[in-house]
Amino acid sequence: MIDSPGRASEAGVSLYAVGKIIGCFGVHGDVKVRPMTHSPRRLTSLRDVAIGNSDQDTKALVVAHVVLKARFALMRFQGISDRDAAELLVGKYVFVRDSEIEKPQPGSYFIHDLIGCEVRSTEGRFLGRVESISKLPAHDVLEVRDGSRLSMIPAVKEFLIEVNLRDRKIVIGLIDGLIEE
């Protein structure tokens, strides 16, 4: 449903995250990357990437090789040749330039496009704005904040009635207990 944690910028070029480094593998500098794209196979074609958490800390790296596994990809970067160097990358995102991004499939959205969107019920009740999105095994969850109230709304088609990125508005169908009063 949701395809990327967001974007950063590198010298005026937009960067889009396609994966998150979640751990190390072995002693030769390989890292485990959780794909954040509708097409994990695209990771195998990456060559030049940026690694970091924001535009202030990204650094350019060259991908040496990629092996896809069931739930993650193993990646190795040129210049990262041991586990100690790889450990420094854990928790960071793998970014690609905007010219290399694949558009999300119909009904899917980039996280950065949803953050800040106003959320209303089908009756027009203001529920808050999307503050963050959690990627859970079963489905993604919109974290919607209205002042001190934080609501967790499953990002599934049964609840998401309309997503209007142009107007920055999301309409959800409420069920009893979904939103605390």
Side-chain angles (χ1 to χ4, degrees):
M1 181 99 207
I2 299 171
D3 200 26
S4 168
R7 61 180 164 201
S9 61
E10 172 188 78
V13 175
S14 291
L15 299 176
Y16 294 85
V18 294
K20 184 171 185 177
I21 300 172
I22 57 172
C24 296
F25 185 84
V27 296
H28 300 292
D30 289 352
V31 293
K32 293 181 189 177
V33 176
R34 183 183 69 223
M36 301 180 94
T37 174
H38 64 275
S39 177
R41 286 187 318 277
R42 80 174 313 274
L43 298 178
T44 62
S45 65
L46 296 179
R47 182 77 177 140
D48 296 310
V49 297
I51 304 293
N53 288 321
S54 71
D55 56 348
Q56 288 84 27
D57 73 355
T58 59
K59 84 175 194 178
L61 289 177
V62 176
V63 177
H65 82 267
V66 178
V67 175
L68 291 180
K69 298 292 186 180
R71 294 183 174 214
F72 59 89
L74 290 178
M75 295 182 88
R76 185 179 299 167
F77 303 102
Q78 290 180 7
I80 307 294
S81 58
D82 60 40
R83 187 177 185 95
D84 291 336
E87 286 283 350
L88 298 174
L89 303 178
V90 174
K92 298 188 181 302
Y93 292 99
V94 177
F95 291 98
V96 297
R97 289 177 183 80
D98 53 358
S99 60
E100 301 174 78
I101 197 69
E102 291 182 6
K103 299 296 180 207
Q105 297 174 349
S108 294
Y109 308 93
F110 288 127
I111 288 176
H112 66 267
D113 286 335
L114 298 178
I115 300 294
C117 283
E118 177 180 285
V119 179
R120 292 195 174 268
S121 69
T122 51
E123 294 80 28
R125 177 177 153 214
F126 178 76
L127 302 171
R129 294 192 179 276
V130 178
E131 180 177 81
S132 183
I133 296 170
S134 296
K135 295 188 84 53
L136 303 177
H139 52 75
D140 300 331
V141 175
L142 302 177
E143 297 176 17
V144 177
R145 181 166 302 278
D146 180 19
S148 62
R149 185 180 69 203
L150 180 66
S151 301
M152 309 295 274
I153 301 170
V156 295
K157 63 183 174 183
E158 291 80 13
F159 295 120
L160 298 180
I161 306 302
E162 177 187 349
V163 177
N164 184 329
L165 296 178
R166 184 176 41 82
D167 293 338
R168 313 273 308 132
K169 181 176 142 185
I170 298 172
V171 176
I172 65 161
L174 289 179
I175 60 169
D176 288 337
L178 184 62
I179 304 291
E180 290 185 21
E181 298 297 326

